[in-house]
Amino acid sequence: MLDKSKLTSLVSWMAQASKALLLPVIGITVFLVIWSIAANSINTSLGKFPGPVAVAEQFGALYQEHNAERVKAEAFYERQDKRNAARLEVDPSYVVKVRAYTGKETFVDQIFTSLVTVMSGFILAAAIAIPMGIWMGLSPTLNAALNPIVQIFKPVSPLAWLPLVTMVVSALYVSPDPMVSKSFINSLLTVTLCSLWPMMINTSLGVANIDSDLVNVSRVLRLSPLTHIQKIVLPASIPLIFTGMRLSLGVAWMVLIAAEMLAQNPGLGKFVWDEFQNGSSESLARIMAAVVVIGLIGFLLDRGVLALQRWFSWDKSKS
């Protein structure tokens, strides 16, 4: 027999489990039902709007296309290796040439392309915005000088930055054998420019609003500026810094998809635009599949930054 305290804890655990698992499942189920009903009543020039079943079928088709493309790539490299081996047998001094497979990027490939691009731009933005935000938070004079600039550029759309970035990169990034493509640089810099500001603003606010008792402790201990930042500033301002990072990463992901659509750079945005231009009977379901993936990735990126915040924060209960 369970005693009263164990029974109470079991009931409490079941209630928490229902909130964590049952309620989200109910919410998703209701959403899918509403989506199915609405999809059946919407007719477009390409047919009925895709419901959950049609989208799920396209996930399978897209994965099969990815596997088929990988088989083609493996066959290409096998033929290339055989040709090179045959040439070396005839002429040992022959310089082997290895060419990359140039087949089309699959849906899975474009997911990874977008992830690499958004994380590269986000990390570059963090490397600039967080130190700058700390400096602005520590110096009211610098904050007063830079804050108007931040407020002016913060609301600028990525669609305005992209043409400027493209022209600058085309003028400065000139190489016969570039390490990375111009399209990657264009998307990366556009993401960086649009995700700088939330991190910078929140970091400066977090640093500027540190408890005065902590600042006084630092003065009494005569900590060096670097030690003051490491031991006092960063631990106390971590919640707001990570809030800025979460906001910036959400902005970065949205900006990237828009930039890829507008500039036709490789990634999920280009996939959506290509399917829209394709206009086949399956295009709407493929676009909807991409929308689901974009939303799911955005959610997972946010959860990832939240997990990092809990790991870095001294107060593990804070979210």
Side-chain angles (χ1 to χ4, degrees):
M1 294 291 292
L2 292 173
D3 58 31
K4 188 175 180 179
S5 61
K6 289 183 179 180
L7 184 60
T8 303
S9 63
L10 179 61
V11 171
S12 176
W13 179 84
M14 291 179 65
Q16 292 176 357
S18 66
K19 287 183 180 179
L21 297 175
L22 184 60
L23 294 180
V25 169
I26 292 173
I28 292 172
T29 303
V30 171
F31 169 75
L32 292 176
V33 170
I34 295 173
W35 178 9
S36 299
I37 295 171
N40 287 327
S41 62
I42 299 175
N43 291 308
T44 71
S45 58
L46 299 178
K48 283 191 175 295
F49 191 85
V53 175
V55 172
E57 290 174 352
Q58 285 306 313
F59 276 121
L62 289 167
Y63 185 68
Q64 289 176 0
E65 289 177 9
H66 172 73
N67 288 336
E69 196 66 24
R70 294 287 71 79
V71 170
K72 291 180 182 178
E74 290 175 4
F76 170 82
Y77 287 117
E78 286 178 3
R79 292 194 300 269
Q80 183 173 243
D81 291 340
K82 289 179 180 178
R83 285 197 302 268
N84 289 331
R87 290 290 299 272
L88 286 171
E89 287 181 3
V90 176
D91 181 10
S93 63
Y94 172 71
V95 178
V96 174
K97 296 179 181 178
V98 178
R99 292 181 174 85
Y101 179 67
T102 56
K104 69 174 184 178
E105 280 195 325
T106 65
F107 181 64
V108 177
D109 294 331
Q110 289 173 317
I111 289 174
F112 283 105
T113 299
S114 291
L115 282 173
V116 169
T117 306
V118 76
M119 291 310 301
S120 299
F122 173 73
I123 290 170
L124 178 59
I128 297 170
I130 293 176
M132 202 67 197
I134 291 173
W135 193 8
M136 290 170 63
L138 292 174
S139 173
T141 303
L142 182 67
N143 185 64
L146 295 183
N147 190 56
I149 299 173
V150 173
Q151 297 303 327
I152 289 171
F153 287 117
K154 182 182 68 172
V156 175
S157 167
L159 304 183
W161 283 118
L162 187 58
L164 298 173
V165 170
T166 301
M167 288 188 289
V168 171
V169 171
S170 297
L172 299 180
Y173 190 62
V174 180
S175 172
D177 186 22
M179 293 181 61
V180 294
S181 65
K182 285 185 179 181
S183 61
F184 174 78
I185 299 295
N186 291 336
S187 297
L188 181 149
L189 292 180
T190 304
V191 166
T192 299
L193 285 170
C194 294
S195 56
L196 275 172
W197 319 116
M199 270 190 286
M200 194 177 295
I201 291 170
N202 278 272
T203 301
S204 64
L205 284 174
V207 173
N209 292 324
I210 292 174
D211 194 326
S212 59
D213 290 339
L214 295 174
V215 177
N216 291 333
V217 168
S218 178
R219 288 172 178 168
V220 169
L221 296 176
R222 296 182 180 180
L223 299 179
S224 66
L226 183 59
T227 304
H228 172 69
I229 292 173
Q230 290 177 335
K231 303 296 184 181
I232 303 295
V233 172
L234 286 176
S237 56
I238 271 179
L240 270 177
I241 290 175
F242 273 94
T243 298
M245 290 176 68
R246 291 173 67 186
L247 291 171
S248 287
L249 190 53
V251 169
W253 186 236
M254 290 188 292
V255 164
L256 176 66
I257 302 304
E260 289 172 346
M261 291 182 68
L262 181 65
Q264 287 294 281
N265 294 336
L268 282 172
K270 184 177 186 298
F271 174 85
V272 170
W273 184 255
D274 287 345
E275 289 298 330
F276 175 71
Q277 295 289 84
N278 183 26
S280 70
S281 58
E282 298 176 343
S283 291
L284 283 179
R286 287 173 173 248
I287 291 172
M288 199 63 206
V291 168
V292 171
V293 170
I294 290 167
L296 182 60
I297 290 174
F299 170 75
L300 293 176
L301 290 174
D302 181 74
R303 295 297 95 181
V305 177
L306 181 59
L308 277 177
Q309 176 180 348
R310 288 172 175 165
W311 188 69
F312 277 105
S313 178
W314 62 269
D315 186 352
K316 304 301 180 184
S317 65
K318 287 186 178 181
S319 59

